[in-house]
Amino acid sequence: MAIIKCPECGHLVSDQAKTCPGCGIEIEGKVMKCKECGEVVFSNLDVCPNCHAPLHGEAAAATGSGADGGEAVTVVAQYEPEPPAGGGGQQGGGSPRRRTGVVVVVALVVALLAVGAVAWVYNSTQQRNEADAYRNAMASDEPAVLQNFLDIYADAPIEHRDSVSARLAGLKAVDLEWANAVASGSKSAIERYLKMHPRSVHAPEGKIKIDSLDWVAATEENTPEAYQAYIDSHADGLYVDEAHNRFEKLDAQKVTPEEQQAVTSLFSGYFTSLAAADADGLTACVANVMGSFLHKANATKNDVIAHMKRLHAEPDVTLMNFRMNNDWKITKQEAADGGFEYIVAFSVDQKLEFTDPAKNAFNTYKVEGKVSPEMKISELNMKKVVQ
């Protein structure tokens, strides 16, 4: 057996090894030495890749190569001097038996040195691999990486194993904190975890969970202000595009001061005309067909005028007056046929005076109405408040 360099990768290997441990290529019976330069080469080559001498055939035989492609053995006649007359001992170099013993000893020493070299290379490689794995484990935030080190390098230096074990225990404690924060469903608990462990492997997931919690809160409030707050906090959030869409839609539904003035003036005009028995002024405030008027569906302007006439039917009424209480609640929504309509709620006081003061009355009504995109009253219902 001899230690050679693998012709493929240069790794030290026995010439009787099945394959090279470095690159896995076949070795036993597949290599030979070039007789010209001594380089170990694959026996299936025709010429040596190092010195370009032929390896097989007649040309190889001329240079000492064997016919079978393996390393040829050159037989040299060995000169043995005749013993001197008189039967004296051998001179110059000792007997053939002694020389053979020296060769065997030298061969054994070379073999031992070769085995030692291979063992040293192997141990050095293992130590480097363990040191690299240790550094990677200590730099990792993944518990699985640290546990893998402990499983593979059971014979690692005790200080390495202790350090990795301590770090693994710390990461498991951090994992428990994360599990508790998630189980709580609390944004503040997750924020606290991220503040304490900014480099945790759970940090990206934590940011996504906070993003989702803030989005749920915004949709529950469902106001332009809530969606704007989400956009400000999560410029790259998962729901930022939807937040922009909802903000724009709701913002368009906000009642502007000009719109509020128009709506309140419309109802004030209606009740002023109603009190003055002004039919033209009254009908100018309402739609041609109202969805509901005093709880009558599909009411017309004639229904509105008939109501006015009933209020003024008593001949001894000397004064009728309506006063808005300025407790307006106005919201805005998209109308079915386009544009925006306004949902209105407020209260109004009615004052009645008669020729007989004993009949004077003061009433309060809750009014619910709707105004069309054309700024006409499309619904109006009243309910008397019992004093």
Side-chain angles (χ1 to χ4, degrees):
M1 180 188 74
I3 300 300
I4 63 173
K5 282 188 177 181
C6 173
E8 182 69 20
C9 66
H11 194 90
L12 292 178
V13 61
S14 169
D15 61 354
Q16 296 182 10
K18 292 290 185 181
T19 59
C20 173
C23 63
I25 198 162
E26 291 187 59
I27 295 297
E28 184 180 16
K30 302 293 183 179
V31 297
M32 62 180 288
K33 276 189 178 180
C34 172
K35 294 301 295 182
E36 287 296 314
C37 64
E39 185 76 10
V40 176
V41 299
F42 290 113
S43 57
N44 61 349
L45 298 178
D46 292 328
V47 295
C48 173
N50 184 50
C51 67
H52 306 293
L55 299 174
H56 307 288
E58 295 179 357
T63 60
S65 298
D68 61 351
E71 182 176 276
V73 178
T74 302
V75 179
V76 180
Q78 187 171 7
Y79 171 74
E80 294 186 8
E82 295 181 359
Q90 296 288 337
Q91 297 180 354
S95 68
R97 180 175 298 176
R98 180 178 298 176
R99 288 197 297 274
T100 301
V102 171
V103 171
V104 171
V105 170
V106 171
L108 287 174
V109 170
V110 171
L112 289 174
L113 289 174
V115 171
V118 172
W120 180 85
V121 170
Y122 175 80
N123 290 334
S124 298
T125 302
Q126 287 296 97
Q127 290 174 2
R128 286 197 300 272
N129 291 344
E130 186 276 335
D132 290 341
Y134 172 72
R135 286 192 293 271
N136 291 337
M138 294 301 292
S140 175
D141 293 320
E142 288 279 3
V145 173
L146 283 86
Q147 186 60 57
N148 190 54
F149 174 88
L150 295 175
D151 292 341
I152 292 177
Y153 296 100
D155 296 329
I158 189 64
E159 60 270 20
H160 284 189
R161 289 187 59 82
D162 287 348
S163 297
V164 171
S165 297
R167 180 161 177 76
L168 178 59
L171 290 179
K172 287 182 177 179
V174 171
D175 274 352
L176 181 60
E177 289 182 46
W178 168 248
N180 291 336
V182 172
S184 72
S186 167
K187 175 183 173 181
S188 61
I190 297 175
E191 287 178 330
R192 184 167 57 254
Y193 173 88
L194 294 179
K195 184 177 181 179
M196 294 176 62
H197 310 288
R199 294 181 60 248
S200 168
V201 294
H202 301 296
E205 184 181 356
K207 293 175 182 178
I208 291 174
K209 285 187 177 294
I210 290 176
D211 179 75
S212 298
L213 290 172
D214 283 349
W215 174 247
V216 170
T219 56
E220 289 176 349
E221 188 173 341
N222 197 37
T223 63
E225 294 76 15
Y227 291 121
Q228 185 61 56
Y230 173 84
I231 293 169
D232 293 342
S233 300
H234 304 279
D236 298 323
L238 296 175
Y239 312 97
V240 70
D241 291 338
E242 179 65 16
H244 278 292
N245 292 336
R246 295 195 183 192
F247 170 82
E248 292 171 1
K249 184 176 180 179
L250 289 176
D251 191 57
Q253 295 178 3
K254 290 177 66 175
V255 179
T256 66
E258 294 77 13
E259 290 170 327
Q260 180 163 340
Q261 179 62 39
V263 170
T264 57
S265 297
L266 179 64
F267 281 98
S268 295
Y270 170 85
F271 281 103
T272 298
S273 298
L274 183 62
D278 179 3
D280 290 338
L282 191 67
T283 56
C285 295
V286 300
N288 292 332
V289 179
M290 302 175 69
S292 176
F293 177 70
L294 301 181
H295 305 289
K296 178 181 179 180
N298 300 319
T300 64
K301 291 185 176 183
N302 288 332
D303 294 316
V304 176
I305 293 173
H307 169 66
M308 179 194 71
K309 289 180 178 179
R310 285 194 297 273
L311 289 179
H312 292 275
E314 296 185 54
D316 56 345
V317 174
T318 60
L319 174 69
M320 180 182 298
N321 186 19
F322 289 95
R323 182 177 65 84
M324 309 295 134
N325 288 321
N326 292 324
D327 53 354
W328 301 93
K329 293 181 180 179
I330 305 172
T331 58
K332 185 178 175 182
Q333 65 182 21
E334 290 187 43
D337 54 353
F340 292 96
E341 59 185 8
Y342 305 86
I343 311 301
V344 186
F346 60 96
S347 65
V348 61
D349 294 335
Q350 179 193 44
K351 182 179 180 181
L352 292 171
E353 292 184 1
F354 296 84
T355 53
D356 180 3
K359 296 175 62 178
N360 291 350
F362 183 87
N363 301 307
T364 299
Y365 295 89
K366 285 187 175 181
V367 182
E368 293 181 350
K370 185 180 289 186
V371 177
S372 70
E374 295 76 27
M375 278 293 165
K376 299 292 183 180
I377 299 173
S378 57
E379 289 187 13
L380 191 150
N381 295 294
M382 299 172 62
K383 182 178 181 181
K384 186 175 181 179
V385 177
V386 177
Q387 300 296 333

